[in-house]
Amino acid sequence: MSFWKRLIGRANTKLVAPRRSRTGGGVSSFSGGVGKVVGAGANHYYEALRRSPDRTPITVSYLGHVNEASRRDLSAIARALYDNGGTASYAVDQIALYSTPISIQAASDEKEWNDAAEAWWKDWSKRCDFYGRPDVDLAVIQKFSSQGADLDGDAGLILTGENGFPQIQFIEGYRISSPENATKNVRDGIQFDAKGRVTGYWVEEAKPNGESEHRFFPAATMFLFRDASITEPFRGMSPMRRGTNDLRDFRDILGFEKTAVKTNASMPGVIEGGGIDPVTGFDLGGSETKLPEKTETSTEEEHGTPGEQKVARADLTGGDILTLPAGRKYVAVQSNRPNAQFGEFLDSLTAQFAAGLGIPPSFFLDAKMTGPGWRAIIGKAQRRFDDRQAAMCRFLEWLWPRVIGWAIEQGELPEAKGWTQVRLQR
């Protein structure tokens, strides 16, 4: 048997059916996917494949994608964290702030045509929003695209002439999905040909009656803006998925600590030696306290007992002296919350979230460093912004010939040699 036949035979070998690992620390297949349980026990040659009850199992997928329900859930969680906390919104907006907008310049062989084309493009950029929002121009659409790539994983940018001239219809990533009656060549809202090439996208659109329907857009009319990933070759996946749990823990722990601090602050001390007398209470300065008069409709529960009302006086001053009956002792509550290491612990959770977005944690946390250290961190962060800018450049290079081509076809611009050539200013 030839080498090629042996290779093909091995590639076509049927994989073990998906199942969970019986021992801790194993590798289990992704539910609904094609995979197998990897590892041969405690003495596997590769340490990474050795099973151990001290490690949690890892679920793997060989398909390179997740189901649409998981994608939409991740998008919903990311948007909730963005809208309800400063950490996520600050990180996502910082990436958009440092990555957009990108300007485009004509680079044909005729300088006069270049000037005319850039002037036409500048005017078109102000009214390119399909929804007609006066505050949304091409720069804002670039910002939306960057934010969408971090929240939803990707964003659809449809070039349409529905309003009589080219406009961009921004589509949130979670709206790109497969219709209910989708054929086998449709996956994650993408339609493929027989050889696995992308032919178009399905977008969920709302109808006036509150229902929704899917509409197909050919690949030539829609640009899928995303960060390229080897694990998601056709769709984007929100990078927030890597640090979502860390950020949610951050919010929970901070909320619990705030509650504890407020509780301790509202309870300056405790009285040892029994309860307070319901009539006499205790004296804060020797003066008599006039209690609220009871009415026919008032109850003891509304105003509390006389002793409780004395304890809960709201007109305390800094010079009050507490006097307790014999046998009673006042003990001040000393709180050490939050402790000195609490901030560093929260920073470690924030660092995990920032690293998941590809931002150096020190850049995000504004750490105190020397000049050389800052230059190294800024250089790393700039690589992340460069990567996002490269994705935006691909979109603008896709957009220019389609929009300028329409202007030439309509006679608003003359044709020039090399009119498709551009320079991009980051």
Side-chain angles (χ1 to χ4, degrees):
M1 182 183 293
S2 66
F3 170 76
W4 177 252
K5 290 183 178 180
R6 292 198 303 271
L7 181 62
I8 295 298
R10 180 174 299 178
N12 291 332
T13 301
K14 185 177 181 180
L15 296 176
V16 180
R19 58 188 176 89
R20 298 292 298 178
S21 172
R22 293 185 178 181
T23 59
V27 183
S28 304
S29 66
F30 177 73
S31 59
V34 178
K36 62 180 180 179
V37 178
V38 185
N43 296 320
H44 197 281
Y45 172 76
Y46 294 106
E47 293 184 1
L49 296 180
R50 294 179 184 175
R51 300 181 186 176
S52 170
D54 299 328
R55 290 188 294 269
T56 56
I58 295 179
T59 304
V60 299
S61 170
Y62 294 92
L63 292 181
H65 73 282
V66 298
N67 58 56
E68 294 186 24
S70 298
R71 186 185 300 277
R72 180 165 294 199
D73 289 345
L74 285 172
S75 175
I77 293 174
R79 286 173 172 267
L81 292 174
Y82 178 88
D83 280 334
N84 292 283
T87 304
S89 60
Y90 180 71
V92 171
D93 291 345
Q94 283 293 296
I95 296 177
L97 177 66
Y98 282 96
S99 304
T100 64
I102 294 178
S103 303
I104 192 168
Q105 298 175 326
S108 74
D109 297 336
E110 302 178 16
K111 184 180 183 304
E112 293 182 0
W113 185 91
N114 293 342
D115 295 338
E118 290 175 11
W120 188 93
W121 177 272
K122 182 178 180 180
D123 178 69
W124 171 83
S125 299
K126 298 177 182 178
R127 51 193 178 96
C128 66
D129 180 44
F130 171 79
Y131 301 103
R133 294 167 290 186
D135 56 334
V136 177
D137 57 8
L138 184 59
V140 176
I141 291 178
Q142 291 185 44
K143 176 184 176 181
F144 287 168
S145 302
S146 178
Q147 293 172 326
D150 287 326
L151 296 176
D152 304 323
D154 51 29
L157 297 163
I158 299 172
L159 184 64
T160 175
E162 184 176 328
N163 294 329
F165 66 100
Q167 287 184 306
I168 302 172
Q169 183 178 0
F170 180 83
I171 302 295
E172 294 84 356
Y174 63 84
R175 292 175 53 193
I176 304 173
S177 58
S178 304
E180 293 183 1
N181 57 347
T183 58
K184 293 183 179 180
N185 62 337
V186 177
R187 187 175 70 241
D188 285 352
I190 304 178
Q191 184 161 310
F192 301 89
D193 63 11
K195 295 186 177 180
R197 294 171 294 197
V198 178
T199 60
Y201 304 89
W202 289 91
V203 176
E204 184 178 6
E205 295 184 335
K207 298 171 65 177
N209 59 3
E211 298 179 356
S212 62
E213 62 181 2
H214 281 79
R215 183 179 173 188
F216 178 74
F217 292 91
T221 63
M222 176 173 165
F223 185 92
L224 187 67
F225 184 87
R226 69 187 186 97
D227 292 327
S229 172
I230 192 172
T231 58
E232 295 294 327
F234 295 102
R235 286 292 306 271
M237 182 68 68
S238 171
M240 286 181 61
R241 70 189 186 276
R242 306 184 185 103
T244 292
N245 285 343
D246 294 300
L247 185 56
R248 294 174 70 179
D249 291 341
F250 170 96
R251 290 165 52 83
D252 289 344
I253 295 171
L254 180 60
F256 297 152
E257 189 70 10
K258 286 167 60 177
T259 300
V261 171
K262 288 190 290 186
T263 301
N264 289 333
S266 65
M267 184 176 61
V270 296
I271 297 176
E272 294 182 353
I276 299 174
D277 188 277
V279 177
T280 60
F282 62 82
D283 189 9
L284 293 175
S287 60
E288 293 293 333
T289 302
K290 186 177 181 180
L291 304 178
E293 296 181 0
K294 289 187 178 181
T295 63
E296 295 181 358
T297 59
S298 66
T299 62
E300 189 174 87
E301 286 76 10
E302 291 178 356
H303 299 294
T305 65
E308 291 172 341
Q309 293 177 42
K310 286 187 177 182
V311 173
R313 288 178 58 184
D315 57 342
L316 304 181
T317 62
D320 287 330
I321 300 175
L322 179 65
T323 303
L324 295 174
R328 311 283 172 78
K329 178 181 179 182
Y330 177 80
V331 180
V333 174
Q334 301 293 333
S335 174
N336 62 345
R337 307 181 71 170
N339 58 50
Q341 289 76 33
F342 183 70
E344 295 180 3
F345 176 67
L346 292 184
D347 284 348
S348 67
L349 294 176
T350 305
Q352 293 295 324
F353 172 75
L357 286 174
I359 307 175
S362 298
F363 179 88
F364 183 76
L365 294 171
D366 297 329
K368 296 180 180 180
M369 293 185 297
T370 60
W374 263 117
R375 286 191 290 271
I377 293 300
I378 292 175
K380 292 179 180 180
Q382 186 60 51
R383 293 300 181 97
R384 178 68 183 95
F385 306 141
D386 289 344
D387 190 54
R388 178 58 56 81
Q389 288 176 340
M392 190 62 66
C393 288
R394 290 192 291 270
F395 165 63
L396 293 176
E397 290 173 342
W398 176 89
L399 184 64
W400 174 271
R402 288 166 171 78
V403 175
I404 297 298
W406 179 90
I408 294 175
E409 184 178 304
Q410 298 297 317
E412 298 191 16
L413 285 174
E415 186 173 356
K417 183 179 180 181
W419 63 271
T420 60
Q421 302 301 314
V422 295
R423 288 189 297 268
L424 297 169
Q425 179 63 45
R426 304 190 181 193

